[in-house]
Amino acid sequence: MSTQATPSNTEARRAFYERIDRHHLTPLWESLHALVPLHPQSRALPALWRYADVRPFVLESAGLITAQEAERRVLVLENPGLRGQSSITQTLYAGIQLVMPGETAPSHRHTQSALRFVLEGNGAYTTVDGERTLMQPGDFVITPSWTPHDHGNASDAPMIWLDGLDIPLLRFLDAGFAEGFGGRIQQPERPVGDALARYGSGLLPVDYDGRHGVTSPVFNYPYARTREVLEQLRRAEQWDACHGLKLRYTNPVTGGFAMPTIGAFVQLLPQGFETAPYRSSDGTVYVCVEGSGESVVGGERYRWGPRDVFVVPSWTTHHHRPAADAVLFSFSDRPVQAAFGLWREERFDQEGA
Ligand code: GTQ
């Protein structure tokens, strides 16, 4: 078995490294164990953003720039271990987006996939590929790769949501493309609710050919429905020691993840249910939807309440302690890792230990 020791430096070795450096060459044995670690050693750190701290800054930004001028008026949640990289995990980006009453954010499209998790406001809209959806708190909304999308707020209150995108992953792949549409917004081509009725109700059009490809044709998973499912399933009393009652959002056509690069999840943790410690290789962003509690992440305690966001980096042991019935939404790059046979988890409950 290999050790994790790096060979010691000698005068002759150092001189050699210096000479080959000029030829853009470096010795593998100096960096082997960092390149091929025994387990993930993420530079991302556990962190929490309290909504009460973030919200005033987000609202203040509306006095500095319009959604139209900004294109997207967002404050980016930067992982403290990844400052300057617009990343909340190694592969994912998160930000808090604000659309004020009467504002629009112009249409554009990009190869990065986006999810929105609605935090505050009622009835502002996003239009995706010609279909408008009204957004309510707790709704999970998808913008598939390369679909035109714009946002608007015809309500009388600010609309605020969490954006999750695979921006760092696509940057790593050098696969980013984008285009705008002259600062305009789309005119809807189908009625509100069309996609949910057509694809997300246990029915599909009889000759549906799966033309939407790798992303779910449902692009708004309303919280009202999700909450009802959690309430129904809790009656079965089948609690997972590490997750409570945890579900993943799926593409109803394939049963796979709703998005190709981002996995989204929702879980119910009943009051007093302390989860068993757990870790997995997908760094995960959590949002508290309802209730309150705390999570111990890498030995540090993070208390959360509604709309607070926290991040658990890859392979960091954590557990949750809800103080009241709690609902957590979360997302990670799990579909990417799973597609390549890379995803791993470790449970520290009776079964796993
Ligand atoms: O709403 O299209 O937070 O393109 C970052 C990039 C949101 C969006 C973000 C984006 C968007």
Side-chain angles (χ1 to χ4, degrees):
M1 188 181 150
S2 82
T3 65
Q4 284 285 296
T6 296
S8 61
N9 248 326
T10 64
E11 197 56 45
R13 286 174 182 174
R14 256 196 297 272
F16 176 70
Y17 302 157
E18 245 181 72
R19 275 169 46 230
I20 66 172
D21 180 72
R22 277 169 245 142
H23 300 269
H24 309 133
L25 295 168
T26 77
L28 171 63
W29 56 89
E30 285 291 301
S31 53
L32 179 61
H33 302 303
L35 295 177
V36 187
L38 293 176
H39 52 78
Q41 298 193 303
S42 185
R43 279 184 298 168
L45 296 170
L48 177 140
W49 290 262
R50 252 177 225 92
Y51 193 64
D53 296 333
V54 174
R55 186 180 186 275
F57 291 126
V58 171
L59 289 173
E60 188 180 343
S61 73
L64 295 173
I65 193 163
T66 63
Q68 186 70 31
E69 189 192 350
E71 194 165 322
R72 297 295 183 264
R73 188 176 48 222
V74 177
L75 297 188
V76 179
L77 306 182
E78 278 205 335
N79 189 292
L82 304 169
R83 290 310 308 269
Q85 300 178 46
S86 300
S87 302
I88 191 161
T89 70
Q90 193 67 3
T91 51
L92 296 174
Y93 155 107
I96 306 285
Q97 180 157 177
L98 167 67
V99 186
M100 291 297 278
E103 284 192 322
T104 54
S107 202
H108 69 192
R109 65 174 170 178
H110 38 70
T111 49
Q112 292 81 2
S113 296
L115 68 81
R116 331 282 171 192
F117 190 76
V118 181
L119 299 175
E120 178 183 332
N122 246 304
Y125 61 82
T126 186
T127 309
V128 178
D129 219 2
E131 184 172 330
R132 196 167 269 193
T133 188
L134 301 174
M135 299 161 89
Q136 315 289 340
D139 290 359
F140 164 58
V141 178
I142 299 174
T143 308
S145 177
W146 208 240
T147 52
H149 55 282
D150 49 78
H151 316 300
N153 186 352
S155 83
D156 55 11
M159 191 78 198
I160 302 177
W161 63 74
L162 176 74
D163 282 323
L165 288 91
D166 52 11
I167 287 173
L169 176 66
L170 267 73
R171 181 172 56 202
F172 184 77
L173 297 171
D174 273 340
F177 295 87
E179 68 182 21
F181 299 96
R184 295 183 299 274
I185 64 168
Q186 303 167 77
Q187 284 318 302
E189 297 163 6
R190 296 180 295 281
V192 170
D194 189 275
L196 188 61
R198 206 179 282 263
Y199 308 109
S201 304
L203 299 161
L204 287 175
V206 64
D207 289 323
Y208 180 63
D209 60 0
R211 71 184 172 87
H212 291 88
V214 293
T215 305
S216 171
V218 176
F219 73 108
N220 189 348
Y221 296 71
Y223 188 60
R225 282 197 184 188
T226 302
R227 192 68 185 83
E228 221 175 275
V229 170
L230 291 173
E231 218 42 57
Q232 172 68 35
L233 292 185
R234 82 185 298 169
R235 294 183 204 146
E237 296 276 359
Q238 290 162 346
W239 305 103
D240 179 282
C242 296
H243 304 306
L245 167 54
K246 186 168 183 176
L247 305 171
R248 60 185 175 86
Y249 291 87
T250 62
N251 176 339
V253 178
T254 64
F257 285 102
M259 306 169 71
T261 52
I262 308 180
F265 310 87
V266 67
Q267 72 199 100
L268 175 69
L269 300 168
Q271 179 170 13
F273 187 98
E274 180 168 343
T275 63
Y278 176 85
R279 61 180 172 179
S280 59
S281 54
D282 52 328
T284 303
V285 181
Y286 285 88
V287 189
C288 172
V289 192
E290 289 180 38
S292 63
E294 60 185 33
S295 298
V296 178
V297 185
E300 286 277 326
R301 193 162 57 152
Y302 297 89
R303 286 179 217 274
W304 37 258
R307 306 184 189 92
D308 293 345
V309 177
F310 63 98
V311 58
V312 178
S314 167
W315 213 239
T316 305
T317 303
H318 59 283
H319 65 276
H320 308 299
R321 276 195 210 117
D325 275 10
V327 177
L328 299 177
F329 171 83
S330 57
F331 65 95
S332 78
D333 63 12
R334 184 161 157 182
V336 178
Q337 297 198 24
F340 297 102
L342 301 172
W343 183 79
R344 289 198 193 194
E345 65 178 342
E346 188 171 12
R347 302 173 60 103
F348 299 92
D349 61 344
Q350 242 68 336
E351 292 160 45

PDB file of all heavy atoms in Angstrom, residues 226-247:
ATOM      1  N   THR A 226     -45.799  19.537  -3.145  1.00  0.00           N
ATOM      2  CA  THR A 226     -44.687  18.872  -2.454  1.00  0.00           C
ATOM      3  C   THR A 226     -45.005  18.692  -0.974  1.00  0.00           C
ATOM      4  O   THR A 226     -44.787  17.634  -0.386  1.00  0.00           O
ATOM      5  CB  THR A 226     -43.401  19.717  -2.619  1.00  0.00           C
ATOM      6  OG1 THR A 226     -43.138  19.875  -4.010  1.00  0.00           O
ATOM      7  CG2 THR A 226     -42.213  19.067  -1.937  1.00  0.00           C
ATOM      8  N   ARG A 227     -45.557  19.743  -0.386  1.00  0.00           N
ATOM      9  CA  ARG A 227     -45.855  19.718   1.054  1.00  0.00           C
ATOM     10  C   ARG A 227     -46.902  18.660   1.369  1.00  0.00           C
ATOM     11  O   ARG A 227     -46.821  17.973   2.399  1.00  0.00           O
ATOM     12  CB  ARG A 227     -46.354  21.106   1.487  1.00  0.00           C
ATOM     13  CG  ARG A 227     -46.421  21.287   2.981  1.00  0.00           C
ATOM     14  CD  ARG A 227     -45.018  21.296   3.561  1.00  0.00           C
ATOM     15  NE  ARG A 227     -44.987  21.350   5.015  1.00  0.00           N
ATOM     16  CZ  ARG A 227     -45.116  20.282   5.814  1.00  0.00           C
ATOM     17  NH1 ARG A 227     -45.332  19.075   5.301  1.00  0.00           N
ATOM     18  NH2 ARG A 227     -45.050  20.408   7.125  1.00  0.00           N
ATOM     19  N   GLU A 228     -47.875  18.538   0.468  1.00  0.00           N
ATOM     20  CA  GLU A 228     -48.940  17.540   0.634  1.00  0.00           C
ATOM     21  C   GLU A 228     -48.365  16.121   0.593  1.00  0.00           C
ATOM     22  O   GLU A 228     -48.764  15.248   1.366  1.00  0.00           O
ATOM     23  CB  GLU A 228     -49.936  17.707  -0.510  1.00  0.00           C
ATOM     24  CG  GLU A 228     -51.387  17.596  -0.137  1.00  0.00           C
ATOM     25  CD  GLU A 228     -52.249  17.898  -1.348  1.00  0.00           C
ATOM     26  OE1 GLU A 228     -52.505  19.096  -1.580  1.00  0.00           O
ATOM     27  OE2 GLU A 228     -52.618  16.950  -2.078  1.00  0.00           O
ATOM     28  N   VAL A 229     -47.413  15.911  -0.312  1.00  0.00           N
ATOM     29  CA  VAL A 229     -46.770  14.594  -0.429  1.00  0.00           C
ATOM     30  C   VAL A 229     -46.038  14.257   0.871  1.00  0.00           C
ATOM     31  O   VAL A 229     -46.154  13.150   1.406  1.00  0.00           O
ATOM     32  CB  VAL A 229     -45.796  14.579  -1.633  1.00  0.00           C
ATOM     33  CG1 VAL A 229     -44.940  13.322  -1.629  1.00  0.00           C
ATOM     34  CG2 VAL A 229     -46.571  14.703  -2.939  1.00  0.00           C
ATOM     35  N   LEU A 230     -45.288  15.219   1.404  1.00  0.00           N
ATOM     36  CA  LEU A 230     -44.553  14.977   2.653  1.00  0.00           C
ATOM     37  C   LEU A 230     -45.519  14.641   3.785  1.00  0.00           C
ATOM     38  O   LEU A 230     -45.281  13.740   4.591  1.00  0.00           O
ATOM     39  CB  LEU A 230     -43.718  16.209   3.031  1.00  0.00           C
ATOM     40  CG  LEU A 230     -42.525  16.531   2.123  1.00  0.00           C
ATOM     41  CD1 LEU A 230     -41.908  17.867   2.514  1.00  0.00           C
ATOM     42  CD2 LEU A 230     -41.467  15.424   2.187  1.00  0.00           C
ATOM     43  N   GLU A 231     -46.629  15.371   3.826  1.00  0.00           N
ATOM     44  CA  GLU A 231     -47.623  15.171   4.900  1.00  0.00           C
ATOM     45  C   GLU A 231     -48.279  13.795   4.779  1.00  0.00           C
ATOM     46  O   GLU A 231     -48.481  13.102   5.772  1.00  0.00           O
ATOM     47  CB  GLU A 231     -48.659  16.301   4.802  1.00  0.00           C
ATOM     48  CG  GLU A 231     -49.157  16.841   6.111  1.00  0.00           C
ATOM     49  CD  GLU A 231     -48.063  17.030   7.168  1.00  0.00           C
ATOM     50  OE1 GLU A 231     -47.077  17.757   6.912  1.00  0.00           O
ATOM     51  OE2 GLU A 231     -48.204  16.443   8.249  1.00  0.00           O
ATOM     52  N   GLN A 232     -48.565  13.395   3.546  1.00  0.00           N
ATOM     53  CA  GLN A 232     -49.147  12.066   3.312  1.00  0.00           C
ATOM     54  C   GLN A 232     -48.158  10.968   3.722  1.00  0.00           C
ATOM     55  O   GLN A 232     -48.506  10.026   4.428  1.00  0.00           O
ATOM     56  CB  GLN A 232     -49.523  11.912   1.827  1.00  0.00           C
ATOM     57  CG  GLN A 232     -49.953  10.511   1.421  1.00  0.00           C
ATOM     58  CD  GLN A 232     -51.272  10.080   2.036  1.00  0.00           C
ATOM     59  OE1 GLN A 232     -52.168  10.907   2.220  1.00  0.00           O
ATOM     60  NE2 GLN A 232     -51.381   8.801   2.378  1.00  0.00           N
ATOM     61  N   LEU A 233     -46.905  11.110   3.290  1.00  0.00           N
ATOM     62  CA  LEU A 233     -45.924  10.040   3.499  1.00  0.00           C
ATOM     63  C   LEU A 233     -45.489   9.923   4.953  1.00  0.00           C
ATOM     64  O   LEU A 233     -45.059   8.856   5.393  1.00  0.00           O
ATOM     65  CB  LEU A 233     -44.717  10.242   2.587  1.00  0.00           C
ATOM     66  CG  LEU A 233     -45.013  10.061   1.093  1.00  0.00           C
ATOM     67  CD1 LEU A 233     -43.733  10.161   0.284  1.00  0.00           C
ATOM     68  CD2 LEU A 233     -45.714   8.730   0.817  1.00  0.00           C
ATOM     69  N   ARG A 234     -45.613  11.005   5.715  1.00  0.00           N
ATOM     70  CA  ARG A 234     -45.183  10.919   7.112  1.00  0.00           C
ATOM     71  C   ARG A 234     -46.049   9.933   7.883  1.00  0.00           C
ATOM     72  O   ARG A 234     -45.622   9.377   8.885  1.00  0.00           O
ATOM     73  CB  ARG A 234     -45.169  12.297   7.780  1.00  0.00           C
ATOM     74  CG  ARG A 234     -46.541  12.767   8.273  1.00  0.00           C
ATOM     75  CD  ARG A 234     -46.496  14.170   8.815  1.00  0.00           C
ATOM     76  NE  ARG A 234     -45.624  14.292   9.982  1.00  0.00           N
ATOM     77  CZ  ARG A 234     -45.255  15.451  10.520  1.00  0.00           C
ATOM     78  NH1 ARG A 234     -45.664  16.594   9.990  1.00  0.00           N
ATOM     79  NH2 ARG A 234     -44.494  15.491  11.575  1.00  0.00           N
ATOM     80  N   ARG A 235     -47.254   9.694   7.382  1.00  0.00           N
ATOM     81  CA  ARG A 235     -48.156   8.752   8.048  1.00  0.00           C
ATOM     82  C   ARG A 235     -47.613   7.328   8.011  1.00  0.00           C
ATOM     83  O   ARG A 235     -47.990   6.491   8.815  1.00  0.00           O
ATOM     84  CB  ARG A 235     -49.539   8.790   7.406  1.00  0.00           C
ATOM     85  CG  ARG A 235     -50.227  10.119   7.619  1.00  0.00           C
ATOM     86  CD  ARG A 235     -51.629  10.136   7.038  1.00  0.00           C
ATOM     87  NE  ARG A 235     -52.010  11.515   6.752  1.00  0.00           N
ATOM     88  CZ  ARG A 235     -52.773  11.903   5.736  1.00  0.00           C
ATOM     89  NH1 ARG A 235     -53.261  11.008   4.906  1.00  0.00           N
ATOM     90  NH2 ARG A 235     -53.053  13.173   5.562  1.00  0.00           N
ATOM     91  N   ALA A 236     -46.745   7.034   7.039  1.00  0.00           N
ATOM     92  CA  ALA A 236     -46.169   5.689   6.944  1.00  0.00           C
ATOM     93  C   ALA A 236     -45.140   5.446   8.047  1.00  0.00           C
ATOM     94  O   ALA A 236     -44.763   4.305   8.315  1.00  0.00           O
ATOM     95  CB  ALA A 236     -45.531   5.504   5.569  1.00  0.00           C
ATOM     96  N   GLU A 237     -44.662   6.528   8.667  1.00  0.00           N
ATOM     97  CA  GLU A 237     -43.700   6.399   9.787  1.00  0.00           C
ATOM     98  C   GLU A 237     -42.449   5.609   9.403  1.00  0.00           C
ATOM     99  O   GLU A 237     -41.928   4.853  10.210  1.00  0.00           O
ATOM    100  CB  GLU A 237     -44.377   5.727  10.995  1.00  0.00           C
ATOM    101  CG  GLU A 237     -45.522   6.513  11.620  1.00  0.00           C
ATOM    102  CD  GLU A 237     -45.044   7.566  12.615  1.00  0.00           C
ATOM    103  OE1 GLU A 237     -43.816   7.664  12.834  1.00  0.00           O
ATOM    104  OE2 GLU A 237     -45.892   8.303  13.151  1.00  0.00           O
ATOM    105  N   GLN A 238     -42.000   5.761   8.149  1.00  0.00           N
ATOM    106  CA  GLN A 238     -40.771   5.075   7.738  1.00  0.00           C
ATOM    107  C   GLN A 238     -39.640   6.091   7.689  1.00  0.00           C
ATOM    108  O   GLN A 238     -39.359   6.657   6.644  1.00  0.00           O
ATOM    109  CB  GLN A 238     -40.967   4.418   6.372  1.00  0.00           C
ATOM    110  CG  GLN A 238     -41.911   3.235   6.423  1.00  0.00           C
ATOM    111  CD  GLN A 238     -42.442   2.861   5.055  1.00  0.00           C
ATOM    112  OE1 GLN A 238     -42.319   3.609   4.093  1.00  0.00           O
ATOM    113  NE2 GLN A 238     -43.067   1.699   4.967  1.00  0.00           N
ATOM    114  N   TRP A 239     -39.042   6.322   8.823  1.00  0.00           N
ATOM    115  CA  TRP A 239     -38.016   7.362   8.888  1.00  0.00           C
ATOM    116  C   TRP A 239     -36.652   6.779   8.569  1.00  0.00           C
ATOM    117  O   TRP A 239     -36.302   5.708   9.042  1.00  0.00           O
ATOM    118  CB  TRP A 239     -38.021   8.009  10.273  1.00  0.00           C
ATOM    119  CG  TRP A 239     -39.371   8.525  10.638  1.00  0.00           C
ATOM    120  CD1 TRP A 239     -40.263   7.953  11.493  1.00  0.00           C
ATOM    121  CD2 TRP A 239     -40.005   9.701  10.123  1.00  0.00           C
ATOM    122  NE1 TRP A 239     -41.411   8.706  11.554  1.00  0.00           N
ATOM    123  CE2 TRP A 239     -41.289   9.787  10.720  1.00  0.00           C
ATOM    124  CE3 TRP A 239     -39.624  10.692   9.213  1.00  0.00           C
ATOM    125  CZ2 TRP A 239     -42.178  10.807  10.447  1.00  0.00           C
ATOM    126  CZ3 TRP A 239     -40.511  11.720   8.937  1.00  0.00           C
ATOM    127  CH2 TRP A 239     -41.767  11.764   9.542  1.00  0.00           C
ATOM    128  N   ASP A 240     -35.896   7.476   7.766  1.00  0.00           N
ATOM    129  CA  ASP A 240     -34.513   7.091   7.506  1.00  0.00           C
ATOM    130  C   ASP A 240     -33.642   7.731   8.587  1.00  0.00           C
ATOM    131  O   ASP A 240     -33.764   8.926   8.842  1.00  0.00           O
ATOM    132  CB  ASP A 240     -34.094   7.593   6.111  1.00  0.00           C
ATOM    133  CG  ASP A 240     -32.662   7.237   5.804  1.00  0.00           C
ATOM    134  OD1 ASP A 240     -31.740   7.930   6.318  1.00  0.00           O
ATOM    135  OD2 ASP A 240     -32.442   6.271   5.068  1.00  0.00           O
ATOM    136  N   ALA A 241     -32.759   6.933   9.187  1.00  0.00           N
ATOM    137  CA  ALA A 241     -31.977   7.438  10.332  1.00  0.00           C
ATOM    138  C   ALA A 241     -31.159   8.679   9.950  1.00  0.00           C
ATOM    139  O   ALA A 241     -30.980   9.579  10.771  1.00  0.00           O
ATOM    140  CB  ALA A 241     -31.061   6.342  10.852  1.00  0.00           C
ATOM    141  N   CYS A 242     -30.662   8.722   8.720  1.00  0.00           N
ATOM    142  CA  CYS A 242     -29.794   9.845   8.309  1.00  0.00           C
ATOM    143  C   CYS A 242     -30.559  10.992   7.654  1.00  0.00           C
ATOM    144  O   CYS A 242     -30.063  12.118   7.606  1.00  0.00           O
ATOM    145  CB  CYS A 242     -28.723   9.362   7.339  1.00  0.00           C
ATOM    146  SG  CYS A 242     -27.575   8.182   8.069  1.00  0.00           S
ATOM    147  N   HIS A 243     -31.755  10.716   7.127  1.00  0.00           N
ATOM    148  CA  HIS A 243     -32.429  11.717   6.298  1.00  0.00           C
ATOM    149  C   HIS A 243     -33.843  12.083   6.744  1.00  0.00           C
ATOM    150  O   HIS A 243     -34.457  12.957   6.129  1.00  0.00           O
ATOM    151  CB  HIS A 243     -32.533  11.218   4.853  1.00  0.00           C
ATOM    152  CG  HIS A 243     -31.232  10.838   4.231  1.00  0.00           C
ATOM    153  ND1 HIS A 243     -30.160  11.693   4.192  1.00  0.00           N
ATOM    154  CD2 HIS A 243     -30.831   9.688   3.635  1.00  0.00           C
ATOM    155  CE1 HIS A 243     -29.156  11.080   3.588  1.00  0.00           C
ATOM    156  NE2 HIS A 243     -29.532   9.867   3.240  1.00  0.00           N
ATOM    157  N   GLY A 244     -34.376  11.398   7.753  1.00  0.00           N
ATOM    158  CA  GLY A 244     -35.790  11.614   8.074  1.00  0.00           C
ATOM    159  C   GLY A 244     -36.623  11.082   6.925  1.00  0.00           C
ATOM    160  O   GLY A 244     -36.510   9.922   6.540  1.00  0.00           O
ATOM    161  N   LEU A 245     -37.429  11.928   6.328  1.00  0.00           N
ATOM    162  CA  LEU A 245     -38.208  11.563   5.136  1.00  0.00           C
ATOM    163  C   LEU A 245     -37.702  12.435   3.999  1.00  0.00           C
ATOM    164  O   LEU A 245     -37.968  13.632   3.955  1.00  0.00           O
ATOM    165  CB  LEU A 245     -39.696  11.811   5.405  1.00  0.00           C
ATOM    166  CG  LEU A 245     -40.678  11.799   4.238  1.00  0.00           C
ATOM    167  CD1 LEU A 245     -40.586  10.519   3.427  1.00  0.00           C
ATOM    168  CD2 LEU A 245     -42.094  11.989   4.753  1.00  0.00           C
ATOM    169  N   LYS A 246     -36.911  11.821   3.093  1.00  0.00           N
ATOM    170  CA  LYS A 246     -36.247  12.621   2.045  1.00  0.00           C
ATOM    171  C   LYS A 246     -36.644  12.120   0.669  1.00  0.00           C
ATOM    172  O   LYS A 246     -36.613  10.913   0.402  1.00  0.00           O
ATOM    173  CB  LYS A 246     -34.728  12.555   2.227  1.00  0.00           C
ATOM    174  CG  LYS A 246     -33.953  13.468   1.283  1.00  0.00           C
ATOM    175  CD  LYS A 246     -32.496  13.577   1.702  1.00  0.00           C
ATOM    176  CE  LYS A 246     -31.728  14.538   0.805  1.00  0.00           C
ATOM    177  NZ  LYS A 246     -30.336  14.712   1.257  1.00  0.00           N
ATOM    178  N   LEU A 247     -36.994  13.054  -0.200  1.00  0.00           N
ATOM    179  CA  LEU A 247     -37.422  12.742  -1.564  1.00  0.00           C
ATOM    180  C   LEU A 247     -36.538  13.511  -2.537  1.00  0.00           C
ATOM    181  O   LEU A 247     -35.979  14.548  -2.188  1.00  0.00           O
ATOM    182  CB  LEU A 247     -38.881  13.168  -1.764  1.00  0.00           C
ATOM    183  CG  LEU A 247     -39.893  12.595  -0.754  1.00  0.00           C
ATOM    184  CD1 LEU A 247     -41.237  13.269  -0.919  1.00  0.00           C
ATOM    185  CD2 LEU A 247     -40.030  11.091  -0.923  1.00  0.00           C
TER     186      LEU A 247
END
